Amino acid sequence: VSTDGVEWITVYTIGESDRWTPVEIDLREFVGEKVWLRFVFDGPTSADAESPALWRIGGLEIRMMKH
């Protein structure tokens, strides 16, 4: 997450898995601010891997939660 598009804060890291991993992340500390989100894939290159590197995001939902 970034509030300026330059400095980034890691808010969640997912370990290696061959299954879908549902994740909920609390971004309450950024309420009222414009934020940028990015997803970083840090895995083996296809030349190093036994199978091609693959990463999918099945869906993304951002919603305001009532306290």
Side-chain angles (χ1 to χ4, degrees):
V1 174
S2 177
T3 56
D4 62 9
V6 177
E7 299 291 325
W8 293 89
I9 300 167
T10 300
V11 293
Y12 197 85
T13 301
I14 297 176
E16 186 175 324
S17 176
D18 60 352
R19 297 185 176 145
W20 286 105
T21 306
V23 174
E24 288 187 23
I25 300 170
D26 184 350
L27 299 174
R28 238 178 293 185
E29 67 183 277
F30 303 101
V31 168
E33 297 185 64
K34 180 177 180 178
V35 296
W36 285 261
L37 302 176
R38 75 175 175 183
F39 303 90
V40 178
F41 177 75
D42 184 17
T45 62
S46 54
D48 295 336
E50 293 179 15
S51 61
L54 180 63
W55 192 53
R56 292 185 180 146
I57 297 174
L60 176 66
E61 181 178 341
I62 300 172
R63 55 191 155 127
M64 292 291 291
M65 304 295 293
K66 293 184 179 180
H67 300 284

